[in-house]
Amino acid sequence: MAAKLAKQCFGLIVGNRGFFPDELAREGHEFMSGLLKKLGHGVVALTPKDTKFGSVETWDDAKKCAELFKKNREKIDGVIVTLPNFGDERGVADTLKMAGLGVPVLIHAWDDDAKKMTIKHRRDSFCGKMSACNNLVQYGIDFSLTSRHTMDPTAADFKDEIAWFAAVCRVVKGLRNCRVGALGARPAAFNTVRYSEKILEEYGISVETLDLSEVFGRAAKMADANAKVKEQLAKIKGYTATNGVPNEALLKMAKLAIVINDWMEKAELDITAVQCWTSMEEFYGVVPCTVMSMLSDTLRSSACEVDVCGAVGMHALALASGSPSFLLDWNNNYGSDPDKCVGFHCSNLPKSCFQHMKMDYQEIIAGSVGKQNAFGTVVGRIKAAPMTYLRPSTVDNEGIVAAYMGEGRFTDDPLDTFGGYGVAEIPDLQGLLEYICQNGFEHHVAVNHSRSARAVYEALENYLGWDVYLHEG
């Protein structure tokens, strides 16, 4: 399910420069503040009562705007600098420096009209944007640029720029304050998902742990007739077809869901990474896939095998797109096509990513723990649609977070297999696979049915300081 995203609140700086037409600054303030509000966003900006046309030009203007921004620090998700004329580069830079918000900043310059190039109408924003950016670089302030150097804010594609910048702000804010629940221990056979909690903490991502024994113990204390258990059982049956699944297994899933949801609420967790193989099946009697699928489908991303970095990747994509993410294995070649492969998991994929789905038992693990202990997977074909993929990883010997990402699509090429699966087409897939192997990335990858690479890359590389490779084929 696509969630309704909360709108962002933007600080707005309208640049002005005295020997350019003041009327352009007035027009810029009125239009930009009106557009942002029309798009549903909050706006924090000076008014014409504060400065000339509510613009920023002088040192005193900058001080007033910075003070306003500081008073609204908790509200502001990002700052938009709009230059309806050349603008005063020092006013822009001084405002941001004194405010010290540390949020993403978008620099926008207005188009000139080639038919209106008189002293009354010429903007020179084309040139002024370079001066503003020059000062921001001198001040050490990170900023973003629109897709074209100047853009007409009345054009339809400018709304897409605002949506893109809003996504950047969501990813930055969401990851700087992310709380991950690590449920259980990393399975011994999965060295590939090892990571550094300390490095993640340096980037604002905290990890809260819980032992599986505590989960099993809390679930065991719940009676089958408990009202919360009955309610959760009904939610599971409403989420997916459960034909052929024993009621005993469904009750265990309901209790597991309650324990995890209660833990997430009390610990204020955003996402989770859960141990599965094979403790969950041997000592509790189900796989956690359906429970995790339901979490991911509500944008509370949940990754298997305590793959914390995988869960973080899922979360970044969900923050950008507002749609559920899922974790896959880069699993098989697809015939002889060098740019296609099979993405697969057992699976715990969210309902909204499937063409069709049902609950079943985990065929691989059933061979060792028994079918009766392996119910709870959600299986089916991933729907054909564009997608963005992302894999973060901590590089412990360098003390950084590295990642690769890119875009591709899921196809409707014929495929008959089990689990959650789909055929992915990636431009220059062989080059990507070479990069993954040479740089020691994991076989898990976070995926989202969206075109969100530009926003996520901007957030991770420019503002969060990750080392990101953007694969473009």
Side-chain angles (χ1 to χ4, degrees):
M1 57 170 283
K4 186 176 181 180
L5 293 172
K7 292 293 185 176
Q8 276 53 64
C9 179
F10 296 122
L12 177 64
I13 299 175
V14 181
N16 191 20
R17 197 155 190 165
F19 43 83
F20 287 86
D22 281 339
E23 177 64 19
L24 298 178
R26 183 194 64 77
E27 173 193 350
H29 189 288
E30 288 183 1
F31 184 83
M32 286 297 292
S33 58
L35 175 64
L36 293 173
K37 291 175 183 177
K38 184 178 179 180
L39 295 174
H41 298 292
V43 180
V44 175
L46 295 173
T47 71
K49 294 180 180 179
D50 301 312
T51 62
K52 185 190 294 185
F53 305 122
S55 64
V56 174
E57 179 179 4
T58 68
W59 171 250
D60 284 340
D61 295 344
K63 287 194 295 182
K64 288 180 181 178
C65 192
E67 189 61 31
L68 177 65
F69 284 1
K70 285 191 284 188
K71 288 180 180 178
N72 291 275
R73 177 184 299 275
E74 295 303 315
K75 292 171 55 178
I76 295 174
D77 300 306
V79 174
I80 296 176
V81 177
T82 187
L83 302 175
N85 61 30
F86 189 98
D88 188 283
E89 66 263 29
R90 292 183 304 169
V92 170
D94 287 337
T95 298
L96 293 169
K97 179 181 178 180
M98 287 188 287
L101 299 179
V103 298
V105 176
L106 179 66
I107 310 299
H108 162 246
W110 289 55
D111 277 345
D112 264 310
D113 185 339
K115 298 177 181 179
K116 295 181 178 180
M117 296 293 281
T118 66
I119 191 66
K120 183 178 179 181
H121 297 105
R122 206 177 83 177
R123 299 180 182 276
D124 287 13
S125 308
F126 187 102
C127 184
K129 180 175 179 177
M130 300 177 203
S131 293
C133 293
N134 173 279
N135 277 254
L136 294 179
V137 170
Q138 290 187 49
Y139 283 41
I141 296 171
D142 296 324
F143 58 91
S144 298
L145 301 173
T146 51
S147 58
R148 295 196 309 278
H149 186 67
T150 59
M151 295 191 75
D152 177 4
T154 67
D157 60 352
F158 187 71
K159 294 179 182 178
D160 295 334
E161 290 297 301
I162 298 299
W164 166 76
F165 184 62
V168 173
C169 293
R170 288 193 300 272
V171 175
V172 171
K173 184 176 183 179
L175 291 186
R176 277 181 177 164
N177 301 280
C178 181
R179 287 179 57 78
V180 188
L183 179 54
R186 172 187 57 79
F190 280 76
N191 270 10
T192 187
V193 297
R194 290 197 289 190
Y195 70 100
S196 169
E197 283 190 42
K198 291 182 178 180
I199 292 175
L200 290 181
E201 191 69 62
E202 288 184 20
Y203 287 84
I205 301 168
S206 300
V207 179
E208 183 83 7
T209 62
L210 183 67
D211 193 81
L212 278 183
S213 63
E214 295 184 59
V215 175
F216 298 161
R218 294 173 192 179
K221 292 179 180 179
M222 294 183 206
D224 293 352
N226 183 296
K228 289 181 67 175
V229 173
K230 289 183 176 180
E231 180 183 358
Q232 187 62 46
L233 181 61
K235 289 179 180 178
I236 291 172
K237 290 182 176 179
Y239 182 73
T240 185
T242 60
N243 299 339
V245 179
N247 193 61
E248 180 184 0
L250 293 172
L251 284 168
K252 289 180 179 180
M253 292 176 217
K255 294 174 184 179
L256 177 64
I258 292 169
V259 172
I260 294 176
N261 280 316
D262 287 349
W263 174 50
M264 291 187 71
E265 182 178 353
K266 290 176 182 176
E268 298 184 13
L269 303 176
D270 299 298
I271 57 179
T272 55
V274 180
Q275 179 184 357
C276 174
W277 291 50
T278 57
S279 296
M280 186 73 71
E281 296 76 26
E282 289 187 64
F283 302 105
Y284 189 67
V286 294
V287 294
C289 300
T290 296
V291 175
M292 297 168 69
S293 172
M294 294 174 74
L295 289 171
S296 293
D297 209 50
T298 56
L299 305 191
R300 295 180 294 164
S301 298
S302 190
C304 56
E305 306 317 344
V306 203
D307 186 358
V308 167
C309 289
V312 170
M314 294 169 68
H315 192 46
L317 294 174
L319 286 166
S321 69
S323 61
S325 300
F326 42 103
L327 198 69
L328 291 177
D329 290 352
W330 296 114
N331 211 71
N332 312 90
N333 60 290
Y334 185 74
S336 59
D337 193 321
D339 288 336
K340 290 181 181 178
C341 66
V342 176
F344 166 86
H345 240 159
C346 306
S347 77
N348 56 18
L349 277 59
K351 180 178 182 177
S352 55
C353 81
F354 286 110
Q355 288 181 359
H356 52 77
M357 64 172 278
K358 66 174 183 177
M359 188 185 294
D360 207 340
Y361 70 97
Q362 217 280 40
E363 293 188 44
I364 299 175
I365 207 168
S368 58
V369 302
K371 178 179 177 179
Q372 73 279 7
N373 294 316
F375 283 101
T377 56
V378 283
V379 301
R381 172 103 191 217
I382 299 168
K383 62 186 178 185
M387 60 89 152
T388 301
Y389 57 87
L390 168 66
R391 179 65 217 189
S393 185
T394 58
V395 184
D396 297 21
N397 58 342
E398 297 181 34
I400 64 170
V401 176
Y404 70 83
M405 65 178 307
E407 293 183 346
R409 69 185 184 103
F410 286 104
T411 75
D412 56 5
D413 290 305
L415 182 65
D416 183 17
T417 187
F418 58 93
Y421 60 91
V423 177
E425 183 174 27
I426 310 291
D428 187 25
L429 174 61
Q430 298 305 309
L432 174 63
L433 295 171
E434 182 177 335
Y435 182 86
I436 291 170
C437 292
Q438 288 182 340
N439 289 275
F441 279 100
E442 299 80 353
H443 66 286
H444 285 172
V445 63
V447 184
N448 190 281
H449 274 130
S450 66
R451 294 285 193 196
S452 53
R454 181 183 169 219
V456 176
Y457 179 81
E458 180 74 6
L460 302 184
E461 176 79 18
N462 192 17
Y463 294 106
L464 297 180
W466 294 17
D467 182 5
V468 185
Y469 165 65
L470 178 61
H471 182 73
E472 296 181 293

